[in-house]
Amino acid sequence: MNKRKLKIALSGLNATDNPGPGVAVARALKESEKLDCELIGFVYENLEPGIYMENMFSKCYQLPYPSSGQEVIFERILYIHNKEKLDVIIPNFDSELNAFINLQNELEKVGIKTFLPTLEQFEARQKTNLIEFGKKYNLDVPKSDNIYSIAELHRILNNYSYPVVVKGKFYEAYIANGYEQVVMYFNKISEKWGLPVIIQEFIKGTEVNVIALGDGNGNTICYVPMRKLYITDKGKAWAGVTIDDDNLNELTYNFFKKTKWRSALELEIMKTSENKYYIMEINPRIPAWVYLSVGAGQNLPESLVMLALGENVKPYETYKKGIVFIRYSWDLITDLEKFKKLTLYGET
Amino acid sequence: MQIMKLNPKVIIYDDGYVYNSETGESFFINETGKIIIDLIKQNNKFEEIKSYFLENYDIKNNEFERYFYEFIDMLKFQNILRDE
């Protein structure tokens, strides 16, 4: 079979203890049976490990941080596109998505394809909007309130029993067992991530995660559920196993049917002892453990690229159960050449 | 006693390793446990399983029943076994 030659740029090459998905996405694309991918890395930091991995990225370019504004990002992408003639871009950070969603028409005009959620979908699943999302689509989500000042806490906490979860609007979450702890975490989180801070009902249960891809028409193209076997102190999966839970399968297929979600996502779900499934978070991009989907028989990044190209992609019908992934750390040895180039010129 | 059925989502390997693909949990059962599970798989009822053990092992009736029910409760708790 002749593989289709493509040049694909992607970000998230920070394969650290809190890893971005980029290296796993790259690995999946390199193993594609349909696509012959040359990969370009979009990086923010000089020491993102993916930059230095052999035979993975033919070239890496620094991108301006998302806070620089989408015009600046677009200008930089145009510079890269002039040199590389990109076919597809896969942004792998939550923080990049807003800019890329807004830029997708401009990118399309210059010949770069993306496959992203709509702006409405991206906004609707924000942690601060999760309650409304649950109501709209009849999905179980934990009770939560958005708090803008400590003065509101007493009143809001009357509606909760301890422990409660105190969450930042982008990252971080802590379990608080009393009022004083809630105040402490409120201050800590608001200082770092701004307001609002989210107070959420604590749901006791088993955490399961889903990686999936929707075509935007209500169809689930890829779907692999996983239970974390080992987590880091940041709560990230260091090992996991594919599972087969009928209720979870139904929940996911219904999710895509109801929301018509376009693009990849990760669902973080808490399964209680009463067999209720609460959606704790919806991450609107490919998760770092995506290579497990390839191991289980579904190459999700390949399908995402095919959808970006406007192909008619047939949904996967099955995946292997009981497939395990175990992450590991590995010391790459390299000279200063790439580091020097990236520091001086912003590209390798 | 009701007919017992193994959860179809549970994989039991020859060496006694048990993987519940519904929950992602796994553990080992010993050789005797494996024999009981194999007998359940073959649709044997409690009386038939008991007869097998009383004939082939040096164990008394009430002793067998105690260990058997304890084991069955554990299998049900782990959702490996279900009453039909």
Side-chain angles (χ1 to χ4, degrees):
Chain A
M1 184 178 164
N2 276 342
K3 289 186 182 183
R4 184 168 176 180
K5 276 186 184 278
L6 290 173
K7 198 174 266 197
I8 299 171
L10 55 101
S11 60
L13 275 56
N14 55 326
T16 60
D17 64 337
N18 184 10
V23 169
V25 172
R27 201 174 165 199
L29 291 174
K30 285 285 182 192
E31 290 179 23
S32 168
E33 289 174 2
K34 296 172 186 159
L35 310 171
D36 177 6
C37 303
E38 182 186 342
L39 302 177
I40 302 296
F42 281 174
V43 300
Y44 295 97
E45 303 282 343
N46 293 355
L47 283 173
E48 292 185 26
I51 301 163
Y52 303 95
M53 293 175 79
E54 297 263 333
N55 306 320
M56 200 60 94
F57 296 93
S58 56
K59 196 160 167 138
C60 291
Y61 292 87
Q62 256 181 343
L63 276 197
Y65 281 105
S67 54
S68 317
Q70 61 198 51
E71 291 78 15
V72 181
I73 296 169
F74 186 57
E75 205 176 296
R76 178 65 173 160
I77 291 173
L78 279 184
Y79 165 81
I80 299 166
H81 186 49
N82 280 336
K83 294 176 84 171
E84 301 292 344
K85 304 284 173 273
L86 301 173
D87 295 301
V88 177
I89 294 179
I90 307 175
N92 285 313
F93 286 120
D94 295 20
S95 53
E96 294 173 316
L97 281 175
N98 202 302
F100 276 97
I101 291 170
N102 287 323
L103 286 171
Q104 61 187 323
N105 291 337
E106 302 301 314
L107 293 169
E108 175 92 40
K109 279 181 200 161
V110 296
I112 303 173
K113 310 277 188 190
T114 53
F115 196 73
L116 303 167
T118 65
L119 196 56
E120 292 71 31
Q121 289 172 339
F122 177 73
E123 289 299 332
R125 60 85 237 172
Q126 297 271 22
K127 286 178 198 178
T128 47
N129 299 332
L130 195 60
I131 281 276
E132 285 72 32
F133 191 90
K135 276 184 199 155
K136 185 175 176 186
Y137 296 112
N138 196 23
L139 299 162
D140 286 325
V141 298
K143 182 171 81 176
S144 68
D145 281 283
N146 300 331
I147 308 291
Y148 291 86
S149 78
I150 289 179
E152 291 176 83
L153 275 177
H154 257 306
R155 182 177 53 82
I156 295 292
L157 287 169
N158 280 336
N159 304 322
Y160 290 83
S161 54
Y162 289 108
V164 295
V165 184
V166 188
K167 290 177 121 171
K169 60 178 175 177
F170 297 123
Y171 300 103
E172 281 192 36
Y174 298 96
I175 295 166
N177 288 296
Y179 179 75
E180 288 73 20
Q181 275 192 333
V182 174
V183 173
M184 183 180 76
Y185 291 135
F186 177 92
N187 287 329
K188 186 175 177 171
I189 290 170
S190 59
E191 191 180 313
K192 202 164 173 187
W193 302 111
L195 294 168
V197 169
I198 301 149
I199 301 293
Q200 193 176 71
E201 173 189 13
F202 176 79
I203 306 282
K204 196 177 171 195
T206 305
E207 191 187 335
V208 286
N209 295 61
V210 163
I211 181 173
L213 172 68
D215 67 357
N217 298 316
N219 300 308
T220 309
I221 303 299
C222 301
Y223 160 69
V224 177
M226 174 273 282
R227 182 186 168 182
K228 291 176 186 175
L229 291 177
Y230 190 89
I231 56 168
T232 65
D233 54 0
K234 286 181 179 133
K236 305 293 166 189
W238 198 258
V241 60
T242 57
I243 56 173
D244 179 21
D245 179 332
D246 291 339
N247 295 325
L248 194 58
N249 301 351
E250 196 184 326
L251 185 153
T252 308
Y253 279 83
N254 274 337
F255 178 96
F256 281 98
K257 207 168 160 187
K258 288 175 184 170
T259 65
K260 297 193 166 34
W261 183 271
R262 187 177 187 271
S263 193
L265 57 64
E266 179 192 31
L267 298 176
E268 292 183 9
I269 293 165
M270 197 63 83
K271 178 185 172 183
T272 68
S273 51
E274 291 84 36
N275 244 8
K276 274 191 96 173
Y277 294 72
Y278 287 90
I279 297 182
M280 309 301 288
E281 273 183 32
I282 302 163
N283 296 320
R285 37 99 195 133
I286 299 174
W289 55 277
V290 60
Y291 192 70
L292 181 66
S293 80
V294 182
Q298 298 195 7
N299 194 329
L300 185 143
E302 177 194 84
S303 296
L304 185 139
V305 168
M306 303 291 277
L307 285 169
L309 296 170
E311 301 283 330
N312 187 18
V313 182
K314 256 180 73 180
Y316 282 103
E317 284 173 1
T318 186
Y319 61 90
K320 291 180 212 156
K321 287 90 187 175
I323 300 295
V324 176
F325 85 91
I326 303 159
R327 205 162 270 162
Y328 64 98
S329 52
W330 177 269
D331 297 347
L332 287 170
I333 303 298
T334 182
D335 56 30
L336 280 168
E337 197 55 31
K338 276 187 179 174
F339 182 81
K340 188 182 73 185
K341 275 187 176 173
L342 207 56
T343 309
L344 287 174
Y345 309 112
E347 57 190 85
T348 56
Chain B
M1 190 178 187
Q2 287 172 298
I3 295 170
M4 298 168 291
K5 283 277 177 208
L6 285 167
N7 179 350
K9 297 286 171 68
V10 170
I11 305 159
I12 299 160
Y13 295 84
D14 288 342
D15 54 7
Y17 181 73
V18 179
Y19 175 64
N20 185 344
S21 69
E22 206 165 45
T23 61
E25 284 167 346
S26 59
F27 35 88
F28 277 103
I29 50 173
N30 66 16
E31 203 181 318
T32 315
K34 180 75 175 42
I35 294 169
I36 292 176
I37 283 182
D38 285 340
L39 290 168
I40 292 170
K41 255 190 197 168
Q42 293 155 24
N43 295 322
N44 285 291
K45 292 186 180 122
F46 169 67
E47 288 302 331
E48 293 162 326
I49 297 170
K50 186 166 79 173
S51 303
Y52 173 84
F53 273 90
L54 295 182
E55 277 167 31
N56 294 287
Y57 291 84
D58 182 21
I59 189 167
K60 293 188 179 74
N61 183 50
N62 55 356
E63 208 178 352
F64 171 79
E65 287 196 5
R66 183 158 62 88
Y67 287 130
F68 177 80
Y69 284 117
E70 203 175 295
F71 181 60
I72 294 298
D73 281 348
M74 190 275 291
L75 294 180
K76 282 182 183 169
F77 180 74
Q78 296 292 347
N79 202 18
I80 293 168
L81 203 63
R82 291 166 175 173
D83 286 326
E84 276 287 284

